[in-house]
Amino acid sequence: MDPILQSLTDAYNDYFSVEHDITVNCKVYSNALPSEQEFIASIPEPFLLAGEMGSLNMSALRSLNRIGELADELANYLQQQARKIDLLLHYVLQQQDSAEHRQFTLSYGGAGLCLHSQQAIPLLSLVELKLFLAENEGAIYCLGQVISAEQTDAGWQIKVVFRRIRDQDRELIVRASLHQQSRQLKQKAAQRQLPE
């Protein structure tokens, strides 16, 4: 195996991934891999806003733990306000979802994703990704690189390792994959308890 491909595949395997379908826009990135600063400067504004909103919500709720018995009511109020803003931001982010480039993941995690595609994408191609996480957990803009493309009866399974992604966005996708795994485990436990 090509040493670069082996290195990228090893990076892909560094993180846990969960089998779940989320909407992703994927298109071939025609430029060379940008520097970290160039990448940050190229992130569309709605994706920057989404990341900031998540960070602000978490820090605001942590601060409430220190104010005592009124904290629960205040936290509830702030969560309702945050939910309103999340819904509005979700709407704005949906405008970034291009039907032409829309595909769905088979699995995803902190290192990358596997998606279903109608077309092959050549190995080591750079791709621009817009991930729209389930349950309004956020949206991520990043750049990836194709590490495998396998033909199936229904099209292609493309594995992509993230090459340019903000740290907070990687944390967001790790949290989302863990939440999804937790939901799947609860669902399996509930199914096991059903009488046969």
Side-chain angles (χ1 to χ4, degrees), residues 21-131:
D21 66 324
I22 57 171
T23 303
V24 60
N25 284 187
C26 177
K27 66 178 183 179
V28 173
Y29 187 75
S30 52
N31 301 325
L33 188 67
S35 71
E36 198 67 37
Q37 293 79 14
E38 291 168 335
F39 165 69
I40 299 292
S42 74
I43 297 174
E45 194 69 30
F47 291 92
L48 292 172
L49 282 172
E52 286 300 310
M53 293 303 298
S55 302
L56 289 172
N57 286 344
M58 293 302 288
S59 66
L61 290 174
R62 274 195 298 272
S63 299
L64 288 179
N65 290 335
R66 294 192 293 261
I67 65 170
E69 59 190 56
L70 292 177
D72 288 343
E73 290 177 40
L74 190 53
N76 187 32
Y77 173 77
L78 289 175
Q79 285 176 329
Q80 289 174 0
Q81 298 308 309
R83 179 79 179 124
K84 290 178 192 175
I85 294 169
D86 285 347
L87 289 171
L88 184 60
L89 187 57
H90 180 71
Y91 173 77
V92 170
L93 286 167
Q94 289 301 13
Q95 308 311 304
Q96 296 286 317
D97 181 11
S98 159
E100 180 186 353
H101 301 292
R102 185 180 305 134
Q103 292 160 29
F104 297 93
T105 60
L106 300 167
S107 63
Y108 63 91
L113 54 83
C114 180
L115 59 86
H116 177 264
S117 175
Q118 291 304 314
Q119 289 100 26
I121 302 175
L123 279 181
L124 299 177
S125 295
L126 290 173
V127 289
E128 176 186 80
L129 299 168
K130 295 177 182 177
L131 288 78

